[in-house]
Structure formats: structure tokens, C-alpha cells
Amino acid sequence: MARLRTCSLTWAALIILLLPGSLEECGHVSVSAPIVHLGDPITASCIIKQNCSHLDLEPQILWRLGAELQPGGRQQRLSDGTQQSTITLPHLNHTRAFLSCCLNWGNSLQILDQVELRAGYPPAIPRNLSCLMNLTTSSLICQWEPGPETHLPTSFTLKSFKSRGNCQTQGDSILDCVPEDGQSHCSIPRRHLLLYQNMGIWVQAENALGTSMSPQLCLQPMDVVKLEPPMLRTMDPSPEAAPPQAGCLQLCWEPWQPALHINQKCELRHKPQSGEASWALVGPLPLEALRYELCGLLPATAYTLQIRCIRWPLPGHWSDWSPSLELRTTERAPTVRLNTWWRQRQLDPRTVQLFWKPVPLEEDSGQIQGYVVSWRPSGQAGAILPLCNTTELSCTFPLPSEAQEVALVAYNSAGTSRPTPVVFSESRGPALTRLHAMAQDPHSLWVGWEPPSPWPQGYVIEWGLSPPSTSNSNKTWRMEQNGSATGFLLQENIRPFQLYEITVTPLYQDAMGPSQHVYAYSQEMAPCHAPELHLKHIGKTWAQLEWVPEPPELGKSPLTHYTIFWTNTQNQSFSTILNASSHGFVLHGLEPASLYHIHLMAASQAGATNSTVLTLMTLIPEGSELHILLGLFGLLLLLSCLCGTAWLCCSPSRKNPLWPSVPDPAHSSLGSWVPTIMEEEAFQLPGLGMPPITKLTVLEEDEKKPLPWESHNSSETCGLPTLVQTYVLQGDPRAAPAQPQSQSGTSDQVLYGQLLGSPTSPGPGHYLRCDSTQPLLAGLTPSPKSYENLWFQASPLGTLVTPAPSQEDDCVFGPLLDFPLLQGIRVHGVEGLESF
């Protein structure tokens, strides 16, 4: 526990505060336990003494854990006058922290006292205790696993004692071995050991929260001895010693000097330097031998070797592996079978091309450095004439005229393989039939045939790019030993989109059949280009196209169809599909004088390609045709106008709205009206004497329904007491004869109104208005101005009382100004109408 008094804590650091009237010895902090289990509660109390006179009577005590204020402190005054504050932390989750008792002093927080708190776990039981007797250092070295972290200072001690039994009874104690901090091993010196006596050993771990011990280990130091490994080296060459066999290594080792008196056994491990092979273990090695010949290795291969040893037959531990030794095995003569095939050149039949392929007879057949083709003349015993010496798998040489057979061998530094005879026989065997080939995928070809009868002993299959070059180095071949085979899958040196020539030759006993050839593509390609479009004929709305189909090509997939695309200037596209046998097409439905872009697409199963774009323009219509079209259009328009005019003129229902037969009173004059006396009854108007009656007929008569006040007898006239004088308009061209009238001779006239008055009567004039439904003017004529009719000024307007209509009357009377047709009439030459 560390206590700091008379110090001030700020947010940045702790500094010592020296003030007049120091706070030293004013406060004291005590805790229930300074070290607890991580997460356990802890209780602390802080007491402020009474002799701190410079403090307030009731100072407020605050608690702080690390840099955080902790609430929950309970403060009280004790009987002796001291102030006490108690706080309980429910869970201490810090492995190490300072708990401080503070109070406010001025503008800062002053620490009266503080204590360090630790939290952690008790030590776990140490595991996997093991010990080794090291003869080099003459000490017993023990090691263990300490277990999980405790967060507290934990000490480990290696304890041991001597025992004459099986460690059940404890004898003399051995001095404890304490390892350095952070280490989990310790060494007991040789002076404290009895090499052939049992001893009990264990590890004790201890910290503030508890103690634990590992299980006890009972052993003799020599039973756990670990030797140092021997040193590997190569054997010195000796003239008496035989050289190592192929695939063998001779090696020796020097044992560790301090262990010469100890019986031991060793084992060896090796692996090739190249590749990722694993170690191969060999052992145990003979006890008395210090040299060894390792066989069964690959010839001409570099190996890495290591050795280790152990005390045997008594208990002990394996030593570490020795430093590596690198050795290389010797060569062995090739053990291969050479499959051969030959061909004569067409230009020089005595020049032979010989091909071969080595087939290993064993897993380790030895490396091949080269090949030799030789010939043994029949007349020269023991003489061998080399024809070819090469590292390739083929050779071209001139064949001697008397030579019918040559020998082929493979060789290396250790020797040669068995000779393979090559007999140059003639082609006199039967040929195979129905040779065919097809692509399996872009990198393989299947070649098939029907075997001849009798079956051959095998086949030679050759393939290469076509057309063949002057050199056959690009040819690949293999031999099929099964004479009943009917096909073979070629997977070597096959590239896509290439044409290959495949040759199959049957092999018989001392003979061969004629070679058969077939061509095949590993993968067919799409057409390189589409046929070029040509314009054959063109019209205003059509165009005839043609093209020349491309001839079939090897390696090109056959065409499946054509597609023609054409586009106008509005970017509207059209297309049609044609079969592969088509060589022309006619486009219909084109617009005259329009531009089109056309191209042809040729498609196959392998892909498609487009032709070049053909641009064309359809023809413009000729001038005569244009004139005919315009003439027909004008004639049709003229006929339409004539028919419309006739319909408007001949239809009565359409004539009146356009040309109404109503005179314009504003531009009429009574002077142009000729008086005509009609044979009508004279009626007397009371109080008016016998005024003349003027009758105006202004509209054609239409059939009307009678109004309620009209007389039921249409032949009767108004009962007027005075003479009625009628005026009719002469020479009206719109008047059409209708039903015969009275003696007046006029027709289609309607009695619209009768003007009644007498030139001698002093009273105002009267008018008689018929209730007709004939249309008047377009609108009511406005009242005349003062300068248009002077008689409006001379004749004062008054309200005239008209007699009530009777059932016999079909006319009614009213004021003159209520009659709109007569408001615009100017009367000339009738002096009797002054009062009117």
C-alpha cells in the first residue's frame, strides 16, 4: 500500500502541494484488502482527524478510483470529532488502480491519502513438467507450462528431494531452484544430484491470492539423459573399396565423445534436395557400425541426410538431429525400351528418318544423356559403325545399301541400355479402312479406324500441322501396342483452330501396312468475312440485292443462315433471315427517294461476321406521274366545291340563314313602293275616320303554327272601319310564286304589319301588328337619331290604347315605336302622315 499525503491531483498529473497550514496527517485511508480477485467487491474508509483546524467543520470527502470520481460514499462524524467516509466498490475490474480520498481545497481537488489496489487470479497448476539430463552441462534441466496469466506477481519454484524408494518416502531435500523472471525452466546442478537414485520433483506457483503445485515427477537423472547427435561425413575414397552401386550412398559418422561409454542406437533420415519430398526414415542403424551404405535412391540425385541417437536399451531421450550432409548418388545405365518408327524421304529413298521414344521399364530408369544409332557390317566381325549420335528423339542418316537393320541404344555415364533393333521392312501388309477424325475439344482430337484382317501387332500414329513443312520436326507420333484398338485420343501438341494431318500405319511381324491420312481441325472457326452485297435492280419502293456465296474452307464451320439488315435515315432498322443456300433477296416496302444502309451477316455454329455496308437510294417518282396526281387532286377538289355549292343553294333550310329575304328598313323608302289596292274588307277604327291603310309585305311565308290569340278561321281579316291601303314592293327577285292570292297577283307574301292612319286625322297614328314568326333583321334596329326622322320630333310619343283583341281578330294594336321594322322607315311624299 502506498500513501501520498499533502498532494494535489489535477487532470494532467499529481503534484505535491505545499500550503501554509499543511494537510499532512489530516487524512488516512484503509481498505478491506489491497489485493482481491478480479471482479470482487472492496470496501475502503477515510478518516479526517480533528486537529485539522484549517478545514471546514463539515468538509465533504470525495473518492476517486484512478481518474474517475466514485459516488456512493457515506460520511459521518464520529464521537471523537473526526470525520469518516466509507465506500464500497461492488466490482473491481481494474488489475491495478489507485483509490484516493480527496476534498475540495480552493479551486482544486486535494488528495488527503491514497492506496494502491491490485486484482487478479490465483496461480494455475503448472502443467507438462519434464526433465532432461544434459551431459554437456552436467545438470538436470526441467521445464513446465506456467498456465494462464494471473495479473499478479507470481513466483515459481522447482522443488525436489532424494528418495531411495519410488518417491513415496521423502529423503534429503535438494536446494530449491528459482528460475529467472519470465522463464519456465530451471537447472539443478550436478553436485546436488545422484545420477542413479530416484528423486521427486515438482513445481510450486505462488502469488498473493494462493498457491498451487504441479503433479510430482519421480525419476532417476540417467533415465532422462539426452545425448548430443553424432557428426555425419562422407567416406574417404579407397583403392581397395569398391565404388558405390548406382542409386547408393556410402557415409559414416563420429559419435559424441562424452557418450562413448553409453550404449546407444541411431537412425538416419534423407530426402531429395529438388522438389517437395518428405523425409524418409532409415533405422535403427547397427550398434557397432560407424559407417553405412544407403541404397534404393534415385540415381544422379542430390540428397540431404541427418542422423540422431538415443541411449539404448536403457531409457533415455533422442538427441537432436545432426547438421545436414549433402551427397549425390551415382548414375545407372538406362533401363528403357525404345519404341521406334522410321520413314524414307521421297526425294532420296536411301535417306532414312528414324524416330524413337523411350519407355521406362522401372520407376528409376536412370537418366539418358544421348542416343546412338549404329550398324554392324556383316563381313566385319566386331566392327560397329555409328550412323548417328544425338540427344534428340529423331535422326536422319543415309542408309548403306547392304544394311537391312540398325541398332539404337540410350547411354549415360554409367553405361548403355539394351540395343533396340530397327528392321527396314517393306510395306506389304493390309491397310486399315474407314479412317476418320473429329475434334473432342480445342486441345484434343479423336482419330478412329477399322482394323484390318488379320489384326496387326500395333499402330503408329503421326500428327502435325498441315500443310507439312520441309522439316518433320513438328511431327508428333506415338505407338499403340494394342493391335485390336479402333481409335486413339490425341492430346499432345494440339492447338485450337489449326488444321492437322493425321497418319496411321499398321505394324505387322517384320512388315508394315500402307499409311492412311486424314485431315481435321481441332476447333472450327467462324467465317472470316461475309459475301459482298451488290445492287442488281432498284425501283421507287423496292431493291433487288445479290451476292456470291463464299466457297467452303477447311477449318471454317459451315454456314447456317444469312441475315440482311437495312436502316433508313430515321434510324429505323429492319432485318430478315435467309437460309444458307440463298444468294439474293428483294427488299420491298421502301420509301421513294429515301436513303438506306444495308449489310449482310453470315452465321455459323462457331460465330458470325458482317459484310461491308451497302448504301443505296430509291428512285424519285417521274414528272408525268406527278402531274397526273396533282390533276386528279385538283379535279377532286373542284367537284367537292361544286357539290357543296349546289347543296347550299338548293336546300331551303340552308338558304334563309345565308340570304334572308328581309328588306333592310334603314335603307328603304316608301317612294319605291307602288300602292296596290287589295281586295280586302274595310274596317272602321273608332275615332280615326277613314284613314288609308298601308300594308307591308317583307318576308316569304313559312308555315307556322297558330298562336293562342290568333283566329281559328284564317280566311277572316281584321275588322277595320277605315280604308286600308296596301303597299307592296315591286320587282323583288326573291319572291317565288306560291298559292294564288286575291286580285293583287302577289304570291308568297305574308302580312307582317299594317300601318293605319289618316292624313287628316289630328291624332297620332296607329298600327296593326300581326303575330308572325318570320325572322326580322339580325338584331333590333336602334332607335333613329333626331336627324334621321324629323317626324319623331313633330309627333309626340304617347301611350296608345289599343282595343282588346277578340276571337275574330288575328291582329293586335300597340304603340308605333314598339314595331322595330318601322323605326328606320323614312316616308316621302305622304303629307297625310305628318301626324304619324
Side-chain angles (χ1 to χ4, degrees):
M1 182 190 304
R3 302 181 182 277
L4 299 177
R5 295 182 174 88
T6 320
C7 59
S8 174
L9 177 65
T10 64
W11 294 105
L14 262 172
I15 58 175
I16 298 177
L17 182 65
L18 300 176
L19 298 172
S22 171
L23 297 180
E24 185 178 2
E25 301 297 334
C26 280
H28 175 74
V29 176
S30 62
V31 294
S32 58
I35 302 177
V36 297
H37 282 76
L38 190 64
D40 285 358
I42 189 171
T43 302
S45 63
C46 179
I47 297 177
I48 300 179
K49 299 178 181 179
Q50 187 178 4
N51 58 2
C52 297
S53 58
H54 50 275
L55 297 178
D56 297 336
L57 295 179
E58 296 292 337
Q60 183 180 2
I61 301 175
L62 302 176
W63 291 93
R64 186 186 207 110
L65 181 63
E68 299 179 358
L69 290 175
Q70 301 294 322
R74 301 180 302 276
Q75 185 172 340
Q76 61 180 348
R77 177 180 290 276
L78 301 180
S79 59
D80 58 355
T82 60
Q83 294 285 337
Q84 182 183 27
S85 177
T86 305
I87 189 172
T88 300
L89 303 177
H91 303 286
L92 182 59
N93 296 323
H94 300 274
T95 59
R96 183 174 184 179
F98 284 93
L99 180 64
S100 305
C101 174
C102 309
L103 55 80
N104 288 320
W105 180 272
N107 295 327
S108 62
L109 193 65
Q110 305 296 323
I111 296 178
L112 300 180
D113 194 11
Q114 68 178 6
V115 63
E116 182 184 15
L117 303 180
R118 300 290 297 268
Y121 302 102
I125 297 176
R127 298 174 300 173
N128 297 333
L129 175 62
S130 62
C131 297
L132 296 174
M133 183 63 192
N134 191 331
L135 296 181
T136 303
T137 59
S138 298
S139 61
L140 183 67
I141 302 174
C142 298
Q143 60 182 5
W144 60 89
E145 294 180 6
E149 176 64 36
T150 63
H151 304 292
L152 295 175
T154 303
S155 62
F156 293 89
T157 304
L158 181 65
K159 293 181 174 292
S160 59
F161 63 90
K162 299 176 183 179
S163 177
R164 294 188 177 273
N166 54 0
C167 301
Q168 297 294 329
T169 59
Q170 184 174 353
D172 297 337
S173 297
I174 300 176
L175 186 64
D176 293 343
C177 181
V178 179
E180 297 180 3
D181 292 341
Q183 294 184 355
S184 57
H185 60 84
C186 195
S187 298
I188 301 176
R190 171 69 179 84
R191 63 180 178 271
H192 300 302
L193 299 176
L194 293 177
L195 296 181
Y196 296 97
Q197 183 179 357
N198 288 338
M199 58 185 301
I201 303 174
W202 73 97
V203 178
Q204 176 178 302
E206 183 179 6
N207 64 12
L209 296 181
T211 302
S212 64
M213 292 184 297
S214 70
Q216 181 176 290
L217 190 66
C218 185
L219 54 84
Q220 289 185 12
M222 286 303 295
D223 289 345
V224 293
V225 66
K226 181 180 180 180
L227 306 177
E228 291 295 327
M231 295 297 295
L232 275 176
R233 62 183 180 83
T234 59
M235 294 182 59
D236 295 331
S238 173
E240 295 82 10
Q245 299 179 4
C248 294
L249 290 175
Q250 293 179 350
L251 65 154
C252 62
W253 60 89
E254 295 180 2
W256 183 48
Q257 293 296 328
L260 289 177
H261 63 282
I262 300 175
N263 294 330
Q264 53 187 304
K265 68 177 179 180
C266 303
E267 63 182 12
L268 188 71
R269 69 177 183 178
H270 61 86
K271 70 174 181 178
Q273 292 184 2
S274 60
E276 297 180 357
S278 58
W279 289 97
L281 193 63
V282 178
L285 301 180
L287 298 179
E288 67 280 357
L290 296 179
R291 63 180 58 193
Y292 185 74
E293 185 176 17
L294 181 64
C295 293
L297 304 179
L298 297 176
T301 304
Y303 280 87
T304 301
L305 300 97
Q306 290 178 335
I307 192 173
R308 67 177 182 176
C309 298
I310 189 174
R311 182 185 181 218
W312 188 85
L314 298 177
H317 289 277
W318 281 103
S319 67
D320 296 331
W321 288 104
S322 67
S324 298
L325 175 66
E326 296 181 357
L327 295 177
R328 185 179 183 86
T329 58
T330 59
E331 293 280 358
R332 64 179 300 182
T335 54
V336 295
R337 184 184 76 244
L338 297 175
N339 292 333
T340 60
W341 168 245
W342 61 273
R343 181 189 303 116
Q344 290 179 329
R345 281 192 173 181
Q346 297 179 356
L347 299 179
D348 187 3
R350 296 309 298 175
T351 301
V352 176
Q353 289 179 310
L354 181 62
F355 307 92
W356 58 86
K357 281 188 177 181
V359 179
L361 298 178
E362 300 177 5
E363 183 179 358
D364 177 22
S365 60
Q367 293 185 350
I368 299 176
Q369 296 179 354
Y371 301 91
V372 173
V373 179
S374 61
W375 169 58
R376 186 189 299 270
S378 58
Q380 301 178 7
I384 298 177
L385 300 179
L387 299 178
C388 184
N389 189 348
T390 181
T391 58
E392 304 294 333
L393 296 178
S394 63
C395 182
T396 302
F397 55 90
L399 183 65
S401 58
E402 64 274 13
Q404 297 297 325
E405 181 180 338
V406 295
L408 174 66
V409 295
Y411 67 88
N412 59 16
S413 60
T416 62
S417 65
R418 286 186 178 183
T420 300
V422 180
V423 179
F424 300 102
S425 58
E426 297 180 358
S427 300
R428 58 178 183 267
L432 52 83
T433 58
R434 300 178 62 88
L435 181 63
H436 60 279
M438 61 182 298
Q440 293 290 103
D441 55 61
H443 297 279
S444 66
L445 283 170
W446 170 263
V447 56
W449 59 83
E450 287 187 2
S453 181
W455 283 356
Q457 293 182 350
Y459 302 92
V460 173
I461 308 167
E462 294 179 277
W463 66 95
L465 294 175
S466 181
S469 61
T470 56
S471 174
N472 288 296
S473 59
N474 61 343
K475 285 279 188 178
T476 305
W477 68 279
R478 68 165 295 136
M479 183 174 291
E480 175 60 46
Q481 300 291 341
N482 184 9
S484 61
T486 59
F488 188 79
L489 182 62
L490 308 179
Q491 295 178 302
E492 184 181 356
N493 297 333
I494 301 296
R495 294 179 295 173
F497 306 114
Q498 299 293 332
L499 177 62
Y500 286 89
E501 180 186 8
I502 305 172
T503 304
V504 180
T505 306
L507 301 179
Y508 301 93
Q509 182 68 31
D510 297 331
M512 65 180 181
S515 301
Q516 301 294 326
H517 305 271
V518 69
Y519 295 87
Y521 272 90
S522 55
Q523 185 179 6
E524 293 181 334
M525 294 184 295
C528 297
H529 55 273
E532 185 177 356
L533 282 174
H534 299 282
L535 179 63
K536 188 174 182 180
H537 299 291
I538 191 169
K540 292 180 286 297
T541 60
W542 60 274
Q544 183 178 3
L545 306 174
E546 66 177 3
W547 59 90
V548 178
E550 296 290 334
E553 298 182 50
L554 287 174
K556 303 296 189 299
S557 179
L559 297 181
T560 57
H561 63 275
Y562 291 107
T563 305
I564 294 182
F565 300 89
W566 65 96
T567 307
N568 57 17
T569 54
Q570 287 79 28
N571 287 330
Q572 295 177 337
S573 298
F574 310 90
S575 63
T576 184
I577 299 177
L578 307 174
N579 49 24
S581 60
S582 302
H583 55 81
F585 186 70
V586 179
L587 303 179
H588 293 284
L590 306 180
E591 297 181 0
S594 298
L595 192 67
Y596 288 89
H597 302 283
I598 309 170
H599 72 273
L600 179 68
M601 182 180 73
S604 67
Q605 293 182 353
T609 184
N610 293 328
S611 68
T612 56
V613 177
L614 174 65
T615 303
L616 57 84
M617 176 176 285
T618 54
L619 300 180
I620 303 174
E622 298 179 0
S624 59
E625 296 178 355
L626 184 61
H627 295 162
I628 292 174
L629 292 177
L630 293 177
L632 291 176
F633 178 74
L635 182 60
L636 181 61
L637 182 60
L638 180 60
L639 290 177
S640 300
C641 294
L642 293 177
C643 291
T645 303
W647 177 68
L648 291 175
C649 294
C650 297
S651 177
S653 62
R654 299 293 180 183
K655 182 171 67 174
N656 284 338
L658 297 177
W659 304 289
S661 301
V662 179
D664 188 0
H667 299 84
S668 64
S669 175
L670 292 179
S672 62
W673 295 74
V674 180
T676 303
I677 300 175
M678 301 181 62
E679 295 181 358
E680 297 180 357
E681 296 182 6
F683 298 90
Q684 297 293 332
L685 295 178
L688 296 177
M690 296 296 292
I693 297 174
T694 302
K695 183 177 182 180
L696 303 177
T697 301
V698 296
L699 292 174
E700 295 178 1
E701 183 180 6
D702 284 338
E703 187 176 352
K704 302 179 288 298
K705 296 180 181 180
L707 297 176
W709 57 80
E710 290 180 349
S711 174
H712 295 282
N713 187 4
S714 60
S715 61
E716 296 180 359
T717 59
C718 298
L720 299 177
T722 58
L723 179 62
V724 179
Q725 190 174 9
T726 304
Y727 293 87
V728 296
L729 182 62
Q730 301 294 324
D732 189 352
R734 292 169 297 175
Q739 300 179 7
Q741 298 290 337
S742 57
Q743 296 176 1
S744 62
T746 62
S747 63
D748 289 342
Q749 296 179 357
V750 178
L751 182 61
Y752 195 89
Q754 292 178 347
L755 181 61
L756 306 180
S758 175
T760 60
S761 177
H766 295 77
Y767 74 93
L768 181 63
R769 179 178 182 180
C770 290
D771 196 0
S772 175
T773 60
Q774 287 291 339
L776 298 177
L777 299 178
L780 293 180
T781 305
S783 300
K785 304 299 180 179
S786 59
Y787 55 80
E788 293 179 352
N789 291 297
L790 299 178
W791 55 272
F792 275 99
Q793 300 178 0
S795 299
L797 301 176
T799 303
L800 300 180
V801 180
T802 59
S806 63
Q807 294 180 358
E808 296 82 13
D809 297 335
D810 59 353
C811 300
V812 295
F813 298 93
L816 179 61
L817 295 180
D818 291 342
F819 196 81
L821 185 59
L822 301 179
Q823 291 182 8
I825 297 178
R826 183 176 183 182
V827 182
H828 299 280
V830 184
E831 291 76 12
L833 295 179
E834 294 177 357
S835 64
F836 180 73

